[in-house]
Amino acid sequence: MCSTKISDEKLSYWMYTDKYEVRKYVEKTIGAKYLNHVIGLYDSFQEIDFDSLPDAFALKATHGSSYNIIVTDKEKLDRKAAKDLIIFLIPSGIYFLSDTAMMVLIMMWNQKMERN
């Protein structure tokens, strides 16, 4: 990002703020082994089949920062509260240039990740 201060070449910022799109860059640059497994990418909260999800997962809006719901036990997940939060977060995206902007991403989650 700092290189844009001294260069006429501007980076495509949306690619770095979109949690799904940036995966392509990470895989190409340092490898897929550094990426969490993606369970699904959804256009809306209503598309998510919670019964098919593992017991623990991360529910995220693809855009922005800190838009995450970490689920350590899906039986304890308040789906209405999660839905309300995701619906609130989706329109708040700053960069709308990516094809996957404002989508819901579900990734694998485990207890080891919480310690990092």
Side-chain angles (χ1 to χ4, degrees), residues 17-66:
T17 62
D18 186 300
K19 292 179 182 85
Y20 187 75
E21 291 294 326
V22 76
R23 297 175 60 81
K24 296 172 193 172
Y25 174 78
V26 171
E27 184 172 359
K28 180 180 167 185
T29 307
I30 61 174
K33 67 182 180 181
Y34 296 99
L35 297 169
N36 294 352
H37 173 72
V38 172
I39 297 169
L41 184 66
Y42 306 91
D43 289 318
S44 71
F45 190 88
Q46 291 76 10
E47 291 180 18
I48 302 168
D49 177 11
F50 283 94
D51 294 331
S52 69
L53 296 177
D55 290 333
F57 56 91
L59 179 64
K60 305 176 173 201
T62 55
H63 67 287
S65 176
S66 302

